[in-house]
């Protein structure tokens, strides 16, 4: 039994770190769900994409000039490459790996373990590099840069709490 007159020397998780961890869990649960869908149901995603393409083309053809509509159709090619079956599956695997590493890192940081921060950084590295390597081009780079901004923000906020990790 613990002596009630002794001070508790166990590290305490701050409210801000708790909120960061919860946001990490929620965001990466969505990422895992997306990865599972991409790996195991690529045909359904491709069908959804085709349906949204048809709707977008109908809307754009009504409101764009002919020359602007042609430019729009040309730029759509790179976006459509993201939704090929092979691309969906490999991207889904990258989502799963990144999401699992990020959640594992978040769980360890929830428990105030420093190694969670480094696992979290590894998950972010996968999340940033995967679209650049797998997609390439402006689409891969734009997704990678967006991921980098998000990763830098959250990693920086977690780094502020490194002193409280053991």
């Amino acid at each position: 039994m613990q002596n009630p007159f002794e001070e508790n020397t166990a590290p305490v998780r701050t409210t801000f770190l708790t909120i960061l961890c919860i946001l990490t869990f929620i965001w990466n649960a969505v990422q895992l769900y997306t990865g599972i869908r991409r790996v195991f149901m690529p045909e359904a995603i491709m069908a959804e994409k085709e349906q949204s393409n048809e709707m977008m083309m109908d809307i754009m053809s009504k409101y764009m000039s002919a020359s602007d509509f042609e430019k729009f159709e040309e730029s759509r090619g790179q976006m459509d490459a993201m939704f090929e079956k092979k691309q969906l599956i490999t991207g889904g695997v990258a989502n799963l790996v990144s999401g699992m590493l990020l959640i594992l890192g978040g769980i360890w940081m929830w428990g105030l373990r420093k190694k969670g921060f480094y696992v979290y950084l590894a998950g972010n590295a996968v999340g940033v590099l995967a679209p650049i390597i797998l997609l390439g081009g402006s689409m891969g780079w734009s997704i990678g840069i967006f991921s980098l901004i998000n990763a830098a923000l959250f990693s920086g906020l977690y780094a502020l709490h490194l002193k409280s990790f053991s």
Side-chain angles (χ1 to χ4, degrees):
M1 180 173 223
Q2 185 178 9
N3 184 349
F5 299 105
E6 285 182 14
E7 287 188 37
N8 187 4
T9 58
V12 178
R13 185 177 52 255
T14 64
T15 303
F16 188 68
L17 182 59
T18 300
I19 292 169
L20 276 177
C21 288
I22 290 170
L23 289 173
T24 296
F25 298 145
I26 292 169
W27 176 255
N28 291 296
V30 171
Q31 185 174 349
L32 286 175
Y33 172 74
T34 302
I36 290 169
R37 278 196 74 214
R38 290 176 76 176
V39 170
F40 297 106
M41 299 185 296
E43 291 85 7
I45 294 173
M46 291 165 56
E48 291 169 7
K49 172 67 170 112
E50 279 304 311
Q51 185 179 8
S52 68
N53 267 355
E54 290 173 13
M55 288 177 20
M56 175 137 1
M57 295 308 278
D58 287 343
I59 292 170
M60 295 296 187
S61 66
K62 292 177 185 173
Y63 298 106
M64 293 178 99
S65 67
S67 63
D68 288 340
F69 186 69
E70 287 176 19
K71 290 177 187 173
F72 174 74
E73 281 185 315
E74 290 172 9
S75 67
R76 224 180 43 150
Q78 195 174 31
M79 179 91 138
D80 288 343
M82 283 178 41
F83 291 92
E84 294 172 0
K85 186 174 182 175
K86 178 184 172 194
Q87 207 62 12
L88 284 171
I89 293 171
T90 55
V93 170
N95 272 10
L96 290 173
V97 170
S98 174
M100 284 189 261
L101 287 171
L102 291 166
I103 286 178
L104 179 62
I107 289 169
W108 281 338
M109 286 188 286
W110 179 271
L112 299 174
R113 294 169 64 187
K114 189 177 277 190
K115 70 179 176 181
F117 178 71
Y118 300 111
V119 170
Y120 184 83
L121 290 178
N124 277 326
V126 171
V128 169
L129 295 175
I132 295 170
I133 293 168
L134 296 175
L135 294 174
S138 61
M139 185 62 66
W141 277 96
S142 59
I143 293 170
I145 290 171
F146 175 76
S147 298
L148 178 64
I149 292 168
N150 183 41
L153 174 68
F154 271 78
S155 296
L157 292 173
Y158 276 123
L160 293 174
H161 294 87
L162 274 175
K163 64 183 177 289
S164 63
F165 296 152
S166 57

